[in-house]
Amino acid sequence: MSELHLHEKTLGKRDIFLFCISAVLLLDTLAAGAVMGPTVIFWWVILTIFFLVPFGAISTELGSAYPEQGGIYAWVKRAYGQKMASRISWYYWSNVAVWVPAIFILFAGVFSQIFMPDMSLTAQIIMGVVLIWVVVFVNIVALNVGKWIPNIGAAIKLIIFALLIIGGILYGMEHGIANEFTLATMIPSTENGGLSLQYLPAVVYGMLGFELASASSAEMKDPRKDLPKAVFSSIAVVVGAYILATTAILIAQPADKVDVVDGLMDTLGQFFGGSPLGDAFVVVLGVGALYTFFSNGATWAMGANRAAAEAAIDDELPALFAVESKHGTPVGASILLGISASILLILYGVMAGNNEDLFWSLFAFSGVIFMLPYVAVCTAFVKIRETHIGINGKIAEDGTFRFPGSPKFVKACAYLCAAILMVTITLFIYVPGEGVAWEVLWGAIGVIIMGEVVTYRGMKKMKTATV
């Protein structure tokens, strides 16, 4: 059935690079990382070495060796079959349906901070719902139009990151540094609070998404050649930008004073505000940040909706997900995402006391669901690779990117990545010393149960069709 849907080849190497930047480089998690203080630098370095680089190699090999529309869905299906692929597609799509409300409540919070300080939480929720449906529209238009949303967002994001870094250097030279940056303060310990792991998942979260472009492999001009170059160059940019920009925030603000929602604009105000021209410049940067929040939501929705549509085309998700436009864009999955995201934002908004609580509850909830497909990808990679290993223990060269190293080393790296993801899932649900986040746990359980129902119905439908 999927052969009936033709996809336009519109994505080149530059588009893939900017797509990765837009998906992974997130202004919204900067402040959450900065709350950890200088130890966040240690965690970024360690996790880059032991998680990000290996996982980047995993996703790049899979994406270039198997350039199939659907990305994660297609890889898991290749390794474990249709039932597991259906389950993973549901998690991947559901995570975005939860995360999009989180990013748009952050959007509304920053908008309120800049333009309407007295804006109520109810008004912020209404704004978030409107933005959700704008994203639905963006996902429905042809990709040669829609691709400019993440492309422009990536460019603006890089500018803001650069200005944060430059502003931090200049501010520190003139006013001093709010936090002490020494080996003792960066190595996690009980004395510096570095073992308080509440916001550590935000760091791992900020490292995921380089595989997202692979969900549109059928719309790439030359995925085997362009994907590896785009992914690894974007990894270098993302890591450098995160570390330097987080450092800039900590130069301006003591770690215990950083606000998860307002921290970005507070820092920009300290760096560039204080005069009419400077305040106007901060507003311009704030508007740019708002656009990047929107482009983040649009970018992730593009990837997740396409993966869900491919699963539905194969009868593994409900048929509504498979409805596509004449351009091959996922109309059904996009509309269903809009409905689900709107309901969740309103429901969690009723329970939240303020926008910071609402943002983190939705963010943590989405984080749990978000990590599950990545655990499956790590183990699927091992299984897929083993089917291509000959008697000499080497993988045949075919011109595509391969994870370097011996089979045992590569396998160990893949399982290490899976273990780090499982620890991160645990920390989203249970923070040592603070207890269980019940709204996160029950939300995740609800999505998992719904996924099992969807998977069961899909498999039953396929069995009936083959009889």
Side-chain angles (χ1 to χ4, degrees), residues 251-262:
I251 286 174
Q253 300 183 56
D256 60 354
K257 301 296 183 182
V258 177
D259 186 279
V260 172
V261 173
D262 298 334

Side-chain angles (χ1 to χ4, degrees), residues 147-389:
K147 74 178 185 179
W148 290 106
I149 299 295
N151 284 4
I152 295 171
I156 294 175
K157 206 177 300 184
L158 288 172
I159 292 171
I160 295 177
F161 267 86
L163 289 172
L164 267 174
I165 295 164
I166 294 170
I169 294 171
L170 297 176
Y171 185 89
M173 292 173 63
E174 182 177 353
H175 300 282
I177 299 174
N179 296 274
E180 184 181 1
F181 289 88
T182 65
L183 190 60
T185 60
M186 286 190 281
I187 299 293
S189 67
T190 54
E191 287 75 17
N192 62 20
L195 297 179
S196 178
L197 303 178
Q198 179 179 1
Y199 294 107
L200 182 59
V203 176
V204 179
Y205 195 102
M207 293 181 170
L208 295 172
F210 290 100
E211 85 301 328
L212 191 65
S214 296
S216 302
S217 291
E219 293 156 284
M220 293 179 187
K221 296 176 182 178
D222 190 353
R224 293 181 186 273
K225 179 181 177 181
D226 294 341
L227 192 62
K229 294 178 181 179
V231 168
F232 282 105
S233 57
S234 62
I235 284 177
V237 171
V238 165
V239 172
Y242 267 130
I243 291 176
L244 293 175
T246 305
T247 301
I249 293 177
L250 292 171
I251 286 174
Q253 300 183 56
D256 60 354
K257 301 296 183 182
V258 177
D259 186 279
V260 172
V261 173
D262 298 334
L264 174 63
M265 291 307 302
D266 289 342
T267 302
L268 290 173
Q270 284 182 255
F271 288 169
F272 304 110
S275 67
L277 184 60
D279 291 341
F281 184 57
V282 171
V283 171
V284 171
L285 292 178
V287 172
L290 292 177
Y291 180 84
T292 68
F293 297 157
F294 173 77
S295 69
N296 288 345
T299 301
W300 277 97
M302 286 177 187
N305 286 333
R306 280 164 171 75
E310 291 300 314
I313 288 170
D314 291 337
D315 292 325
E316 297 174 18
L317 288 180
L320 282 175
F321 284 89
V323 177
E324 293 187 343
S325 71
K326 63 180 181 180
H327 301 290
T329 55
V331 175
S334 299
I335 292 175
L336 290 170
L337 184 143
I339 294 171
S340 303
S342 299
I343 292 173
L344 282 169
L345 180 53
I346 294 170
L347 179 62
Y348 271 69
V350 170
M351 298 185 292
N354 54 58
N355 61 357
E356 185 176 8
D357 291 342
L358 178 54
F359 167 73
W360 188 256
S361 293
L362 287 168
F363 178 77
F365 174 10
S366 72
V368 173
I369 305 302
F370 180 54
M371 302 290 173
L372 294 175
Y374 289 96
V375 176
V377 166
C378 292
T379 58
F381 168 72
V382 173
K383 186 170 184 180
I384 290 172
R385 219 175 195 259
E386 286 178 345
T387 63
H388 293 80
I389 296 178

